[in-house]
Amino acid sequence: MNRKKWSLTPMFLIFAVLMCLMSFISIRYNVYLFIVEFVVSLASLAFVLIMNLKFRRYVRGLIKGAVERTADVDKVYLENFDFPIVIVGPHNDIIWTNSSFTNVLSKGKDPIGYKIDTYIGTRRLRDFISKKPIKLHINDKYYRVFGNLSKETTVLYYIDDTYYRNIENDFYNKKASVAFVLFDNADDFDTDSDGETEGEILLAVERTVQKWASENNAMYTKISPTRYMLIFEESAIKEITEGKFKILDTIRDIKLEGKSATVSIGIGRGKDSIRESDMAAKKALEMALGRGGDQVAVSINDEYEFYGGVSAGVEKRSKVRTRTFAGNIKNTILKADNVILMGHNYSDLDCVGASIGMYSTITKSLNKTAYIVCNERTSNARQLIDSAKENGLENAFITPDEGLKKINNGTLLIILDTHISTFIESKEIYKKCKKVIVIDHHRKMVNFINNALIFFHEPLASSACEMVSEIISYIGDDYLSGFEAGALLAGIMLDTKNFVIKTGVRTFEAAAYLKQKGANTINVKRLFSGDIEAYRTKSEIVCNAKVIDTIAISHAKDGVQNVRVVAAQAADELLSFEGVNSSFVIFRIDSKTVGISARSYGKLNVQVVMEALGGGGHLTMAACQLEVENQEIAENMLIAKIKELRKKGILK
């Protein structure tokens, strides 16, 4: 019971006595009034006295019960404990404390009669009735609190754990975290600049990293001209993380002829040893580079946190590297009994085009049996599949169920245009195949396929078709037909939006190579044609869009055929309007799932947004699926996530 209620008892007594005295005044005016007032006054006085007596008995009974619970221990013994002890009544009110509790926890104020809530934080009293202590932080001190239950009372024992907790915190704060910093676009300043200017840029980046290390009391060492290793204390990493790694912005301020320097950073945090932190930091750096660079990847508790990644990435791809991968892929294919080619679910032109290109080389140049697993019913590239069958590839495409029957111990699975096991066309085929190759260009996600014999990942490539075009040019392209070259070109055109977005020198080289191999641009253009109804739907989506702070958001009505394709086209169209830097089109996939197609010119990283909602993609093109009831919920989730990422400094 609240102490404030009982602290009013003396006031009630005074008022009751005054009422009795005042009743005698009214006897001069009205005897009946005097009798009524006098009776009421006596009743009030009696009530206050009786309730006060009951409360005293209540307190004595609870204390007696608490003492009886401790067997032969009395209150004097409880009082002599050096640590705080409190007895709590059934109504969460404090009914007794020892002097240690009064002096230390309540700071000299008598706490009897008040609620225990102040001294147990957000916990419930019954939480303390367990064998394990509960840790609390009270008055700048740490306590382990034990509780015992006896009849209607609870006894809490507060053991001061401050000394050991401080040691624990000091140990954790001084744990070593390893960081690898890579000047990831150093080649940009080597191409168009003389050696002296290049040296100045390298020196400026190095000095910035050295200063960053010095400001955070970190150990610094230079591994190579563009690679540095730093060792931080955990307390420093915590502050740097809260500051959202401003080092990325500082490095970007180093410019030459309009080009900004960028670095990628991988950090291993929270490990038990330097060696473990070193290994985690190397993997984190690979993850940062796999997502396009110019960002920080922090490995902590076997999970990743990402910061930065606002730039479109640097085209720094080596043909030597591609040739090496192509040779390894060729050797692996030659050792296989047969090959299954499979992309992501709801396949598109890039996915199917890359599969057709690889199928041509495997079956014609390497004389190996191959199959393309594709669910034609859900594919967004049905026009290309139909055209492929008309051009002699009618036996190339099989269903996932048919693909399972083709697998043996020597089967090789090549996954194209995705590196996430949950996105592939058939999880059953992936699980059954013992040999896997991954060829993908999307920015690396945490849950990537990690059991691949060959993981050929180029996040700066425009498309999977661009990567496959380069691969087959090294493996063997003597039998590549004009239609097959056109299928590869269609995939490149899809992902670059007709060579507007995410194109590099290698993209145009691949397009020229495919044109040389007979790709017909008119036939490719026909693959993008749609019916008049789809055009009306796309126009309706565009017209109904709303713009919120340069972000266009629109919805597709339910029941639209090929809604994924239409939504993607509408999202592309929305970017053509002035004042729109990114677009999101929300559409229903089925009764339980809503999809979002996202596009951007790079000012807002849509991949970060979609990844936060369970999807993925690129800086300029991404998507996700949400298991929600309607599109309005999906829109609210989208807006909330964008606000959250901006508040954290992850989005600008």
Side-chain angles (χ1 to χ4, degrees), residues 378-543:
T378 60
S379 177
N380 295 318
R382 276 193 265 176
Q383 282 183 294
L384 177 57
I385 295 172
D386 293 340
S387 183
K389 292 179 178 180
E390 294 172 1
N391 284 272
L393 300 180
E394 60 274 2
N395 296 322
F397 293 89
I398 60 175
T399 65
D401 290 338
E402 291 172 335
L404 284 170
K405 299 176 183 178
K406 305 291 184 181
I407 299 173
N408 58 45
N409 291 333
T411 299
L412 172 66
L413 172 64
I414 299 181
I415 297 175
L416 298 151
D417 202 30
T418 184
H419 62 275
I420 308 299
S421 60
T422 54
F423 292 172
I424 58 179
E425 189 75 83
S426 171
K427 296 178 185 177
E428 291 76 16
I429 290 178
Y430 166 65
K431 291 177 181 178
K432 193 173 180 180
C433 288
K434 297 179 180 179
K435 302 174 183 177
V436 179
I437 290 176
V438 175
I439 302 173
D440 188 32
H441 68 112
H442 294 97
R443 289 198 174 195
K444 202 169 188 179
M445 294 177 65
V446 174
N447 54 336
F448 63 93
I449 295 171
N450 57 9
N451 65 334
L453 295 174
I454 300 173
F455 192 90
F456 186 27
H457 181 237
E458 289 281 11
L460 301 177
S462 69
S463 57
C465 283
E466 178 186 328
M467 296 175 67
V468 168
S469 298
E470 292 185 338
I471 290 172
I472 64 178
S473 70
Y474 294 120
I475 291 179
D477 59 1
D478 295 340
Y479 302 99
L480 189 70
S481 68
F483 165 76
E484 292 159 349
L488 289 165
L489 183 59
I492 295 175
M493 291 176 64
L494 174 73
D495 276 13
T496 61
K497 302 296 174 276
N498 293 326
F499 301 98
V500 173
I501 297 174
K502 208 174 185 293
T503 56
V505 174
R506 301 274 286 276
T507 308
F508 290 101
E509 287 179 354
Y513 163 76
L514 295 172
K515 181 66 176 174
Q516 185 182 17
K517 286 295 178 180
N520 188 317
T521 52
I522 295 176
N523 291 338
V524 171
K525 183 64 177 177
R526 289 196 181 107
L527 295 174
F528 291 88
S529 61
D531 56 30
I532 191 67
E533 189 60 36
Y535 185 83
R536 287 196 186 99
T537 303
K538 182 179 72 173
S539 300
E540 183 180 348
I541 294 172
V542 172
C543 291

Side-chain angles (χ1 to χ4, degrees), residues 235-278:
S235 57
I237 285 291
K238 192 181 297 182
E239 291 183 9
I240 293 170
T241 302
E242 291 173 354
K244 311 304 178 188
F245 290 92
K246 295 180 181 178
I247 180 70
L248 295 175
D249 296 325
T250 305
I251 294 292
R252 285 192 211 101
D253 289 337
I254 301 174
K255 298 181 180 180
L256 176 66
E257 298 177 357
K259 297 178 181 178
S260 294
T262 62
V263 295
S264 295
I265 303 175
I267 298 176
R269 181 180 176 189
K271 301 298 180 181
D272 293 331
S273 67
I274 289 285
R275 185 174 181 276
E276 290 180 353
S277 295
D278 176 82

Side-chain angles (χ1 to χ4, degrees), residues 349-366:
L349 288 175
D350 187 33
C351 175
V352 176
S355 299
I356 290 173
M358 286 299 297
Y359 176 86
S360 172
T361 295
I362 293 169
T363 56
K364 298 176 184 178
S365 297
L366 303 181

Side-chain angles (χ1 to χ4, degrees), residues 278-292:
D278 176 82
M279 294 174 63
K282 289 176 180 176
K283 291 181 180 179
L285 180 60
E286 290 178 7
M287 182 65 72
L289 293 171
R291 294 167 61 85

Side-chain angles (χ1 to χ4, degrees), residues 114-127:
Y114 287 99
K115 294 287 186 183
I116 191 63
D117 298 354
T118 305
Y119 306 100
I120 61 174
T122 58
R123 299 278 190 167
R124 296 169 299 180
L125 188 61
R126 62 173 175 267
D127 294 340

Side-chain angles (χ1 to χ4, degrees), residues 107-347:
K107 296 183 177 180
K109 297 180 180 178
D110 184 6
I112 295 177
Y114 287 99
K115 294 287 186 183
I116 191 63
D117 298 354
T118 305
Y119 306 100
I120 61 174
T122 58
R123 299 278 190 167
R124 296 169 299 180
L125 188 61
R126 62 173 175 267
D127 294 340
F128 293 85
I129 312 303
S130 65
K131 295 181 179 180
K132 294 182 179 180
I134 291 179
K135 296 179 180 180
L136 294 179
H137 188 209
I138 305 174
N139 298 338
D140 298 326
K141 287 190 175 184
Y142 296 97
Y143 294 92
R144 284 180 296 123
V145 183
F146 298 84
N148 284 323
L149 181 65
S150 177
K151 296 182 180 179
E152 295 182 335
T153 62
T154 304
V155 183
L156 300 180
Y157 306 88
Y158 290 73
I159 310 301
D160 192 340
D161 200 31
T162 305
Y163 175 75
Y164 299 102
R165 286 292 296 275
N166 286 338
I167 292 176
E168 180 184 347
N169 290 338
D170 288 342
F171 171 77
Y172 181 76
N173 288 331
K174 293 183 182 299
K175 256 189 173 182
S177 297
V178 177
F180 286 102
V181 181
L182 177 67
F183 183 6
D184 54 19
N185 68 335
D187 292 344
D188 274 10
F189 301 94
D190 183 29
T191 304
D192 301 323
S193 306
D194 56 32
E196 184 178 350
T197 307
E198 177 199 357
E200 291 177 359
I201 296 296
L202 282 170
L203 186 60
V205 171
E206 184 178 345
R207 284 176 175 172
T208 303
V209 175
Q210 283 180 329
K211 183 181 179 183
W212 185 50
S214 177
E215 290 173 346
N216 293 281
N217 196 31
M219 190 194 84
Y220 163 89
T221 185
K222 183 177 179 181
I223 300 175
S224 72
T226 59
R227 193 181 184 100
Y228 320 96
M229 184 178 79
L230 293 80
I231 299 179
F232 296 90
E233 290 183 349
E234 173 63 25
S235 57
I237 285 291
K238 192 181 297 182
E239 291 183 9
I240 293 170
T241 302
E242 291 173 354
K244 311 304 178 188
F245 290 92
K246 295 180 181 178
I247 180 70
L248 295 175
D249 296 325
T250 305
I251 294 292
R252 285 192 211 101
D253 289 337
I254 301 174
K255 298 181 180 180
L256 176 66
E257 298 177 357
K259 297 178 181 178
S260 294
T262 62
V263 295
S264 295
I265 303 175
I267 298 176
R269 181 180 176 189
K271 301 298 180 181
D272 293 331
S273 67
I274 289 285
R275 185 174 181 276
E276 290 180 353
S277 295
D278 176 82
M279 294 174 63
K282 289 176 180 176
K283 291 181 180 179
L285 180 60
E286 290 178 7
M287 182 65 72
L289 293 171
R291 294 167 61 85
D294 185 28
Q295 59 189 281
V296 180
V298 181
S299 173
I300 179 170
N301 297 327
D302 297 324
E303 296 182 354
Y304 287 96
E305 296 176 353
F306 300 101
Y307 301 86
V310 298
S311 67
V314 184
E315 186 180 11
K316 189 181 64 174
R317 297 164 54 209
S318 169
K319 289 187 177 182
V320 175
R321 181 173 182 268
T322 302
R323 189 183 300 115
T324 302
F325 269 105
N328 292 335
I329 291 171
K330 178 180 179 179
N331 293 333
T332 307
I333 292 172
L334 290 173
K335 294 177 182 177
D337 292 344
N338 58 4
V339 180
I340 291 179
L341 300 160
M342 183 171 67
H344 54 77
N345 51 9
Y346 301 100
S347 55

